[in-house]
Amino acid sequence: MTLAAPLAGSAATKDRSFLVIFNPTAGGRRRRRLDHALAALEHRGWDCEILETQARGDAEALARTASGEARASRLLIAGGDGTINEAVNGALSAGAKLPLGIIPLGTANVLAAELGMMDMGDAVDAAAAGAMHTIWPGRANERNFVLMAGAGFDAHVVATVDPALKRKIGKLAYVWTMLRLAFRFSFPRYRVRVDGVWHEAASVVVSKGHYYGGRFVLAPRARLDRPEFQVCLFTKGGRWNLVRYALALPLGLLPKMKSITLLPAREVVIEGPEGDPVQGDGDVIAHLPVTIRLAERPLTMVAPARRA
């Protein structure tokens, strides 16, 4: 395993080499999980070079450089959905020349679920010998996303959650933030144009994948490899409906509720309070008003052969 050193220059080595983007501030436990995964890859004959991030935005810059230089055969992102989002933006800006694999080390790991990775063993297997899948990211104004983008209560939760608390207690940080925010959120209305037709909603999630917040199904028909979105409109707002939605999601009942409208789309415009946050893949990636379209090009990802 090569740490922060150039890869060997032979064609044979390059054909079985990873550039691995990793955030060292993620904590010792995650570093140990990464080391185990890379040791397994090395055992299978892969060379790995770790590119460590130092600050927010580094994953994007490293992926842009790595994809542009293409000095390895694959780019491996070790982190959560937010780190993957940064790397995807960097890779796409450089032409997305390298297939992307992931080592899921985040809080929810929604992309890993979408790609059919049930555990770290699946992730290692996919990185080393998985199938190549073409996926279509979305683009919210100037930023790309892989899983979803949304405006409304969930976007405000993402914008408000304390990163230190998230690192400490994981998903419970979102639950705590949601409870605190529910008592002071004004629940504004949003105007949403779905392929030219206007709708009104209390919240909206534009989905590329069908999972939300882990392995909870929000948009059953959404798939990463389809060049379209599934738009989820939450038509009723207020604290009581927020409680109903929160209870229905883990039970798999949310898509069946009468106050939920699901629509296919290729372009979505969201208007509301100017400057309201737009969350994408678990981070704030834009502010209202926002236009959401497919990314300029697809992305090749390495995933288990059984699904994408």
Side-chain angles (χ1 to χ4, degrees):
M1 186 188 309
T2 305
L3 302 183
L7 294 169
S10 69
T13 302
K14 180 179 176 181
D15 288 343
R16 295 184 64 82
S17 61
F18 283 110
L19 292 175
V20 185
I21 295 177
F22 173 66
N23 179 2
T25 64
R29 184 175 65 87
R30 293 181 179 180
R31 180 58 188 253
R32 287 191 293 273
R33 292 173 64 196
L34 173 63
D35 287 344
H36 286 313
L38 298 187
L41 289 171
E42 182 185 48
H43 182 72
R44 299 187 190 195
W46 288 84
D47 289 328
C48 301
E49 174 188 351
I50 295 181
L51 306 175
E52 294 187 347
T53 66
Q54 301 297 325
R56 187 178 179 87
D58 282 0
E60 181 174 351
L62 289 170
R64 181 185 301 112
T65 300
S67 187
E69 294 178 351
R71 70 178 190 266
S73 56
R74 297 180 185 179
L75 183 62
L76 192 61
I77 315 304
D81 294 316
T83 301
I84 295 168
N85 177 277
E86 279 195 31
V88 164
N89 274 274
L92 286 172
S93 69
K97 298 175 183 178
L98 293 180
L100 265 63
I102 64 171
I103 297 295
L105 299 175
T107 302
N109 297 315
V110 182
L111 182 58
E114 289 286 346
L115 295 173
M117 298 177 187
M118 304 304 293
D119 53 31
M120 188 61 74
D122 283 344
V124 171
D125 288 343
M132 299 293 180
H133 297 279
T134 298
I135 70 169
W136 277 98
R139 188 170 180 85
N141 286 351
E142 301 303 319
R143 297 292 295 178
N144 299 294
F145 62 93
V146 177
L147 297 163
M148 89 291 287
F153 183 78
D154 73 321
H156 280 268
V157 170
V158 168
T160 307
V161 70
D162 182 351
L165 186 64
K166 179 181 172 183
R167 287 192 296 270
K168 193 172 184 179
I169 63 174
K171 291 182 182 180
L172 291 177
Y174 289 100
V175 176
W176 172 244
T177 304
M178 183 177 71
L179 292 173
R180 291 178 56 241
L181 191 60
F183 290 98
R184 52 190 175 89
F185 191 62
S186 62
F187 293 96
R189 302 294 290 180
Y190 299 86
R191 296 182 71 238
V192 186
R193 192 179 73 197
V194 181
D195 286 347
V197 179
W198 285 101
H199 304 264
E200 189 175 288
S203 283
V204 56
V205 176
V206 180
S207 296
K208 278 298 295 142
H210 65 303
Y211 288 129
Y212 183 88
R215 285 174 166 79
F216 304 131
V217 176
L218 175 63
R221 297 184 179 180
R223 294 294 184 274
L224 299 178
D225 60 348
R226 294 177 184 169
E228 67 172 16
F229 304 107
Q230 287 287 315
V231 183
C232 183
L233 302 173
F234 297 76
T235 60
K236 293 184 179 180
R239 294 178 185 85
W240 168 237
N241 286 298
L242 178 63
V243 171
R244 292 174 63 235
Y245 295 145
L247 292 174
L249 179 61
L251 296 175
L253 300 176
L254 196 58
K256 302 175 183 178
M257 297 179 70
K258 292 182 179 180
S259 58
I260 300 293
T261 300
L262 287 164
L263 300 168
R266 292 181 68 90
E267 180 181 271
V268 182
V269 175
I270 306 174
E271 296 180 352
E274 188 169 355
D276 246 30
V278 175
Q279 72 93 357
D281 297 347
D283 281 321
V284 175
I285 61 170
H287 294 85
L288 295 185
V290 65
T291 298
I292 298 174
R293 300 185 178 95
L294 292 171
E296 295 178 354
R297 59 177 60 87
L299 190 67
T300 300
M301 296 205 70
V302 186
R306 61 183 178 270
R307 63 173 296 181

